[in-house]
Amino acid sequence: MDKVISVSLGEVALKGLNRGYFENKLLKQIRSATREFGSPNIYKEQGKMYIEAEENYFDQIINRLKKVFGIVYISPCIRVEKDIDIIEKASILAVEETLEKRDISTFKVKTNRVDKDFPIKSPDMSKKIGSVLLKNIDGIKVDVHNPELYLYIDIKDKCYIYTERYKAQGGLPLGTNGKGLLLLSGGIDSPVAGFMMAKRGVSLSAVHFHSYPFTSERAEQKVKELARLLARYSGDMHLYSINIIDIQKEIHEKCPENQMTIITRRFMMRIAEKIAQSQDINALITGESLGQVASQTIEGIGVTNSSVSIPILRPLIGFDKVDIISIAKEIETYETSILPFEDCCTVFLPKHPLTRPKLENIEEAERKLDIEYLVDKAISNAIFSVIEP
């Protein structure tokens, strides 16, 4: 009888012939996340992964795995041989240990008999173990509809017994769906957008646009802190910091005032695309939500899209602001996002920004600008850093 941690795979377990690819990516990330805890042994067994580690590391390992995409549940288990007497003793132990932590009066046993050669079927096994628990533990009773405690029994090559299931992030392992370059502002939305695409298996890098000295160094530090918070989920993040004040001055001098926002946005996309192409990154990611600000109308988004050929992913496009804030609080970026430091979008902000731009009018205004020169100059002055969790 010993203790291990079980890892439930969620979507990964539903993959077909390429399931091994997803599992291997996840296995690599689990190893990376747990390496500092004695480099525990990790093995696969019929739909789950199991971690053999020293029990005093269990809490730390579980907290770390909660941030690994591709995992839906994590459970500390008692692992025993498929002997009914041993399973009974382990079940009693599992419930007693739980009762030391929580006040529980009702329970239900759920058996998953993966090994069909095991002689007792799942419903009969649940009844048998339930009866054993009633006889050996005072003060608890069965409630099949709304129990305070579930005792889970997984019968595979070994038997795994557990009462706790810690919820993880789900999604797909990082790197299984290519690379994305996140346009990371200092606001609430873009960190959430990055988190959501990382959850779909996209490896993240980020680009941040600022207007120093019109924007402060503290605003820049705020963005680096947001990148650090995101890196807890996405791993080390490459961050490109781009000063666009010269671009903004040119637009302000030579283009209609009400076009300032949308033309600046198109320059950001061009710069981000060039960085992405140089780094073999497959798509851009933004925190845009339809109708939230002047540049995020359908017309504005269409005009923005036309400035680049690379795909632009907008995971928040249909989200309500309240829902975005809820996710930001959950991933712990919200408090940093609301720090009152200005960003580049506040520089030369027009009084009445264009909400329904026409592409031909925007392109006509842009002819007054040396687009290629301005883009290349901004990129040549980029500051690159690696942000660690």
Side-chain angles (χ1 to χ4, degrees):
M1 186 183 299
D2 54 12
K3 293 188 177 181
V4 297
I5 297 172
S6 77
V7 175
S8 299
L9 308 186
E11 257 188 272
V12 173
L14 303 178
K15 297 298 178 183
L17 296 176
N18 60 348
R19 175 174 168 175
Y21 166 75
F22 288 86
E23 287 185 339
N24 289 335
K25 282 279 189 181
L26 180 57
L27 185 60
K28 182 179 179 181
Q29 284 154 29
I30 291 174
R31 285 198 175 112
S32 177
T34 60
R35 186 175 293 121
E36 67 184 270
F37 306 116
S39 295
N41 180 52
I42 304 163
Y43 66 94
K44 295 185 283 187
E45 186 176 325
Q46 296 169 309
K48 290 187 179 182
M49 293 184 184
Y50 294 91
I51 301 172
E52 296 175 322
E54 294 180 28
E55 191 176 350
N56 60 308
Y57 287 136
F58 274 22
D59 287 344
Q60 293 165 281
I61 290 172
I62 290 168
N63 286 332
R64 188 67 60 83
L65 293 181
K66 286 178 181 178
K67 294 182 175 65
V68 174
F69 295 119
I71 300 172
V72 288
Y73 291 110
I74 310 153
S75 299
C77 304
I78 299 174
R79 180 179 61 184
V80 298
E81 298 295 330
K82 291 179 291 189
D83 177 282
I84 188 61
D85 291 335
I86 297 175
I87 293 172
E88 289 177 359
K89 292 175 182 177
S91 298
I92 294 168
L93 176 61
V95 173
E96 286 178 338
E97 288 183 343
T98 305
L99 287 171
E100 291 175 2
K101 304 172 188 175
R102 291 193 279 151
D103 185 16
I104 292 161
S105 60
T106 60
F107 75 95
K108 179 180 179 179
V109 180
K110 293 186 72 172
T111 302
N112 179 24
R113 188 179 64 122
V114 179
D115 178 8
K116 301 305 180 185
D117 291 331
F118 188 74
I120 306 174
K121 293 183 178 180
S122 295
D124 296 332
M125 187 68 177
S126 295
K127 291 177 184 177
K128 184 175 183 61
I129 297 301
S131 177
V132 169
L133 295 176
L134 290 172
K135 291 177 182 176
N136 288 274
I137 301 177
D138 295 332
I140 61 171
K141 61 182 179 180
V142 174
D143 183 343
V144 296
H145 300 296
N146 190 30
E148 296 171 321
L149 172 72
Y150 281 99
L151 177 74
Y152 299 95
I153 302 174
D154 293 346
I155 301 172
K156 302 180 176 182
D157 293 339
K158 300 281 187 178
C159 182
Y160 300 90
I161 300 162
Y162 52 101
T163 61
E164 304 287 353
R165 294 209 307 174
Y166 297 99
K167 195 174 185 304
Q169 295 296 335
L172 295 170
L174 278 171
T176 55
N177 267 326
K179 303 175 184 177
L181 181 64
L182 172 67
L183 277 69
L184 182 61
S185 72
I188 297 169
D189 302 338
S190 56
V192 174
F195 167 82
M196 293 186 67
M197 293 314 305
K199 187 173 180 177
R200 299 311 304 158
V202 176
S203 294
L204 295 182
S205 296
V207 57
H208 170 61
F209 298 98
H210 65 89
S211 304
Y212 185 81
F214 288 80
T215 54
S216 68
E217 291 184 4
R218 293 183 72 185
E220 183 81 358
Q221 289 304 314
K222 170 184 173 180
V223 170
K224 288 184 176 181
E225 174 61 13
L226 287 171
R228 187 192 69 78
L229 293 170
L230 263 182
R232 297 180 306 168
Y233 300 92
S234 66
D236 293 356
M237 184 180 296
H238 292 180
L239 176 65
Y240 301 85
S241 183
I242 308 285
N243 192 331
I244 59 169
I245 190 61
D246 290 342
I247 293 173
Q248 290 175 300
K249 287 178 179 178
E250 284 284 299
I251 298 169
H252 182 66
E253 291 174 7
K254 297 178 180 179
C255 301
E257 182 190 21
N258 66 349
Q259 295 180 357
M260 181 82 195
T261 300
I262 193 70
I263 294 176
T264 302
R265 191 71 177 167
R266 282 164 61 87
F267 267 94
M268 291 179 181
M269 293 298 174
R270 292 183 179 110
I271 292 168
E273 179 183 49
K274 206 154 190 176
I275 292 171
Q277 290 171 337
S278 71
Q279 300 301 314
D280 195 28
I281 293 173
N282 313 102
L284 307 181
I285 303 166
T286 79
E288 291 165 293
S289 174
L290 189 63
Q292 191 174 126
V293 297
S295 65
Q296 295 176 21
T297 62
I298 287 178
E299 294 88 347
I301 289 170
V303 170
T304 300
N305 284 352
S306 68
S307 62
V308 296
S309 59
I310 194 171
I312 303 173
L313 307 179
R314 297 178 170 93
L316 307 184
I317 195 67
F319 274 56
D320 185 277
K321 190 69 175 185
V322 173
D323 297 326
I324 298 171
I325 289 172
S326 177
I327 298 171
K329 289 179 177 178
E330 183 181 329
I331 65 175
E332 299 179 342
T333 57
Y334 178 74
E335 294 300 329
T336 301
S337 291
I338 62 173
L339 292 174
F341 304 131
E342 70 286 349
D343 63 27
C344 64
C345 296
T346 62
V347 178
F348 303 121
L349 186 68
K351 292 180 181 179
H352 303 288
L354 199 60
T355 58
R356 288 178 168 76
K358 293 186 181 299
L359 180 59
E360 57 268 26
N361 295 338
I362 299 299
E363 289 179 336
E364 181 181 351
E366 287 180 338
R367 291 190 187 100
K368 302 171 186 175
L369 307 170
D370 190 339
I371 294 173
E372 187 174 350
Y373 168 77
L374 290 170
V375 168
D376 288 344
K377 181 182 177 184
I379 292 174
S380 69
N381 293 321
I383 297 175
F384 172 77
S385 53
V386 178
I387 308 297
E388 298 178 349

